[in-house]
């Protein structure tokens, strides 16, 4: 006897075997799920895969998302601890990693995360050899370098989320001071996603009007408006949010979806993301830092040559040195 499905449907052609815009998120913690929900909310993928070692949590998150399918534009949501579920991904977002323990050195934390990534990255590349890897796990700049080394992929296909979020925070704080929407406030945070990041005061503008030309002391200690405080707030904001709610997740989730959209839709937008900067601005170390970069369906295809002032270049090199001092001692790559 024919099933209801057989009676309902008359097949005309075979379905496509491979998804067009599959996104995988590795790690279903707060950041991973915020990224997943943000990607789904924008309707960016035709298949979403989740991977984690915590099977009950993983299955629960998958089911919770699947139950919302009526409200989404994603055909298929899957999850498994087996990386076979990630096959044919266009983008793989890495949010997994261990948390820093009290009193633990940054190098020790990094070394433990190297061990975690050694169990992730080879599997990702095995099942999706043509994917673009977007690294979100902290410390993101060094974790992007580690991913690049472990993956064997070309540098343009391993991208760190870097200062895309720092730049967004910067533009939001600009907007609060000026009373203008953040999308019309232009400014850049470069370098390390962290304490040594660089605010490009010379590039801040609204409608092409340079704010530093209006206030030449901007970004210095002599500035009567103390714009330097805006950058300090950018650096401190993650710590403040963590102190208040225990973690950050929504803004980084939106940031990840923003980057995925540029890549999946081949938009050629410019983002402050982590890329290999050796040879740029006099940097000699093999480190990943955020620079304004063009993202497309191929990955990170170009870096914009920003005309930085001498003090900004000095800060960028210092940022590179800060990362190298920790990265150079990482073992087992």
């Amino acid at each position: 006897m024919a099933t209801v499905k057989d009676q309902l449907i008359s097949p005309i052609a075979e379905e496509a075997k491979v998804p067009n815009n599959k996104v995988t998120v590795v790690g279903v913690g707060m950041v991973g799920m915020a990224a997943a929900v943000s990607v789904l909310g924008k309707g960016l993928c035709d298949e979403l895969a989740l991977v984690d070692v915590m099977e009950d949590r993983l299955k629960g998150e998958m089911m919770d998302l699947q139950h919302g399918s009526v409200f989404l534009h994603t055909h298929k949501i899957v999850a498994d601890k087996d990386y076979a579920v990630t096959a044919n991904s266009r983008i793989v977002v890495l949010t997994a990693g261990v948390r820093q323990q009290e009193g633990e050195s940054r190098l020790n934390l990094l070394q433990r995360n190297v061990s975690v990534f050694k169990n992730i990255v080879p599997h990702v590349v095995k099942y999706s050899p043509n994917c673009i890897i977007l690294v979100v796990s902290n410390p993101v700049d060094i974790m992007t370098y580690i991913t690049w080394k472990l993956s064997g992929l070309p540098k343009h296909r391993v991208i760190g989320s870097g200062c895309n979020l720092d730049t967004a925070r910067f533009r939001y704080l600009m907007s609060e001071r000026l009373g203008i929407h953040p999308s019309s406030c232009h400014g850049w945070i470069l370098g390390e996603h962290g304490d040594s990041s660089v605010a490009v005061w010379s590039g801040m503008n609204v409608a092409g009007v340079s704010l530093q030309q209006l206030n030449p002391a901007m970004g210095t200690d002599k500035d009567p408006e103390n714009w330097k405080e805006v950058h300090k707030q950018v650096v401190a904001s993650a710590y403040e949010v963590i102190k208040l709610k225990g973690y950050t997740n929504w803004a980084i989730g939106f940031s990840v979806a923003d980057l995925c959209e540029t890549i999946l839709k081949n938009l050629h937008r410019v983002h402050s993301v982590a890329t290999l900067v050796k040879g740029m601005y006099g940097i000699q170390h093999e480190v990943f830092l955020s620079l304004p970069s063009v993202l497309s369906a191929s990955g990170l295809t170009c870096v914009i040559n920003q005309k930085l002032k001498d003090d900004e270049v000095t800060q960028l090199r210092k940022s590179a040195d800060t990362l190298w001092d920790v990265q150079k001692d990482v073992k087992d790559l």
Side-chain angles (χ1 to χ4, degrees), residues 164-307:
N164 196 52
L165 175 55
D166 308 63
T167 296
R169 286 171 171 152
F170 192 50
R171 293 171 69 183
Y172 162 72
L173 292 166
M174 269 179 78
S175 79
E176 286 291 286
R177 283 201 174 202
L178 300 172
I180 296 169
H181 193 274
S183 64
S184 295
C185 295
H186 303 287
W188 292 88
I189 301 290
L190 310 180
E192 181 200 10
H193 171 61
D195 300 350
S196 72
S197 65
V198 181
V200 185
W201 302 107
S202 59
M204 285 176 75
N205 75 87
V206 173
V209 178
S210 165
L211 301 195
Q212 201 173 53
Q213 283 186 1
L214 302 179
N215 175 5
M218 181 172 278
T220 70
D221 294 327
K222 295 173 183 174
D223 178 11
E225 295 182 60
N226 195 22
W227 277 86
K228 204 172 185 179
E229 184 61 29
V230 173
H231 183 224
K232 285 180 182 172
Q233 283 178 268
V234 169
V235 173
S237 56
Y239 299 115
E240 189 177 354
V241 174
I242 290 167
K243 186 179 171 185
L244 292 167
K245 62 176 260 191
Y247 51 88
T248 64
N249 65 325
W250 296 120
I252 184 62
F254 296 147
S255 173
V256 167
D258 184 51
L259 297 172
C260 288
E261 181 176 42
T262 298
I263 294 166
L264 293 170
K265 293 184 178 179
N266 197 29
L267 293 178
H268 292 79
R269 289 193 300 201
V270 181
H271 297 269
S272 183
V273 288
T275 187
L276 188 64
V277 295
K278 186 177 180 182
M280 299 181 196
Y281 297 105
I283 295 167
Q284 298 306 314
H285 303 307
E286 201 172 59
V287 294
F288 279 67
L289 283 178
S290 286
L291 291 175
S293 306
V294 178
L295 301 185
S296 70
S298 304
L300 194 153
T301 47
C302 322
V303 171
I304 303 298
N305 297 317
Q306 263 190 329
K307 301 295 179 216

Side-chain angles (χ1 to χ4, degrees), residues 126-148:
K126 175 185 173 184
Y127 288 105
S128 301
N130 299 315
C131 74
I132 291 165
I133 300 180
L134 179 57
V135 184
V136 183
S137 307
N138 276 322
V140 69
D141 304 292
I142 301 179
M143 293 313 297
T144 306
Y145 167 80
I146 287 165
T147 302
W148 174 58

Side-chain angles (χ1 to χ4, degrees), residues 77-89:
I77 298 170
V78 294
D80 207 300
K81 69 172 187 177
D82 186 335
Y83 281 83
V85 80
T86 70
N88 300 307
S89 294

